């Protein structure tokens, strides 16, 4: 078959979890994923807006978007269309028409390890879109493709149903069972950073966070 779909569509984030994640920047989440997880090498093309949603995955032949077409008829509001196009930049996998349809369907965003086009439309709006690059050439629609299977995006394995959070700093991906732990850990990290910022703004020459870390590693802070 040209396009195959495996299993049921992934369950969506709760509205409470979505709102909690919207209040957290990706570095705070990344720091609590051992600084190992996360998509790299993709560019954010939307001018504003934050990505928070659940992965609906597509594995496609490079330069071919038949699988994306099928997935777009299946997606529900809150799904992020995550497309493994092999990082190929020869043909764009989507443009402004697919973006418009996705927005109308409540799609939470695109994450595409491949190329897009019509970037001015993405840049002018707040629909989240991360992609490997840009090219004017359009896609083929021959297949094959697989939907709702594990994919690899920028060195990160993304499973159907994984949670994605994206902002200006990049993208992080994690299993939905990790959501509450990460929210609480990221909030704790935020409080820690706010305390450090307050110490910096107080203007003391000796900073606990800086000098304390150096001394803890046996490094003598510089003195004139």
């Amino acid at each position: 078959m040209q396009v195959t779909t495996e299993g049921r569509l992934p369950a969506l984030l709760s509205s409470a979890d979505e709102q909690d994640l919207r209040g957290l920047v990706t570095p705070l989440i990344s720091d609590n994923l051992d600084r190992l997880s996360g998509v790299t090498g993709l560019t954010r093309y939307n001018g504003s807006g934050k990505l928070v949603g659940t992965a609906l995955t597509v594995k496609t032949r490079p330069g071919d978007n038949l699988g994306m077409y099928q997935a777009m008829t299946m997606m529900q509001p809150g799904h992020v269309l995550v497309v493994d196009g092999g990082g190929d930049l020869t043909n764009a996998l989507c443009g402004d028409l697919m973006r418009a349809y996705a927005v109308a369907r409540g799609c939470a965003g695109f994450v595409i390890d491949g190329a897009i086009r019509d970037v001015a439309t993405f840049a002018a709006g707040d629909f989240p879109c991360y992609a490997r690059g840009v090219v004017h050439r359009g896609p083929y629609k021959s297949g094959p493709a697989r939907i709702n299977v594990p994919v690899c995006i920028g060195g990160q394995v993304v499973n159907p149903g994984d949670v994605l959070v994206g902002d200006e700093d990049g993208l992080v991906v994690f299993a939905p069972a990790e959501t509450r732990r990460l929210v609480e850990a990221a909030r704790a990290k935020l409080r820690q950073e706010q305390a450090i910022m307050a110490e910096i703004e107080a203007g003391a020459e000796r900073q606990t966070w800086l000098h304390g870390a150096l001394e803890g590693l046996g490094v003598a802070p510089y003195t004139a």
Side-chain angles (χ1 to χ4, degrees):
M1 295 181 64
Q2 291 177 313
V3 180
T4 58
T5 303
E6 298 190 10
R8 296 182 177 181
L9 289 183
L12 297 164
L13 273 173
S14 70
S15 58
D17 285 344
E18 179 187 345
Q19 289 305 309
D20 285 345
L21 290 169
R22 286 192 179 278
L24 297 168
V25 295
T26 54
L28 292 173
I29 300 172
S30 177
D31 283 354
N32 287 285
L33 288 168
D34 298 320
R35 298 173 179 171
L36 295 174
S37 300
V39 175
T40 60
L42 270 59
T43 298
R44 177 182 186 253
Y45 286 98
N46 48 297
S48 59
K50 182 162 186 170
L51 174 68
V52 179
T54 301
L56 175 58
T57 59
V58 180
K59 172 68 175 177
T60 185
R61 181 172 70 92
D64 191 293
N65 73 355
L66 181 63
M68 283 189 70
Y69 264 48
Q70 177 68 5
M72 290 180 70
T73 68
M74 300 163 58
M75 65 187 178
Q76 299 173 353
H79 278 142
V80 178
L81 205 57
V82 180
V83 184
D84 180 356
D88 181 75
L89 301 180
T90 305
N91 297 84
L93 293 177
C94 70
D96 56 2
L97 296 179
M98 294 178 73
R99 175 194 178 279
Y101 182 76
V103 170
R105 291 290 307 278
C107 180
F110 290 162
V111 173
I112 300 175
D113 202 345
I116 64 169
R117 62 180 182 176
D118 302 321
V119 293
T121 303
F122 286 98
D126 62 359
F127 176 74
C129 178
Y130 294 79
R132 177 70 60 181
V134 177
V135 69
H136 56 82
R137 287 188 293 262
Y140 298 99
K141 293 177 175 60
S142 304
R146 298 175 67 195
I147 298 172
N148 218 34
V149 297
V151 295
C152 184
I153 306 291
Q156 170 77 51
V157 174
V158 182
N159 293 297
D162 278 354
V163 179
L164 295 103
V165 180
D167 57 19
E168 299 85 348
D169 288 307
L171 284 164
V172 291
V173 182
F174 51 89
E178 287 279 276
T179 301
R180 293 319 306 171
R181 179 191 73 81
L182 286 169
V183 166
E184 296 308 318
R187 286 173 172 171
K189 177 72 172 176
L190 176 60
R191 291 191 294 270
Q192 180 187 42
E193 292 187 356
Q194 288 171 335
I196 290 172
M197 187 62 73
E199 188 177 2
I200 294 170
E201 291 174 346
E205 182 177 350
R206 175 180 169 76
Q207 298 282 317
T208 302
W209 64 278
L210 173 61
H211 294 80
L214 290 172
E215 292 164 358
L217 293 170
V219 179
Y222 172 80
T223 55

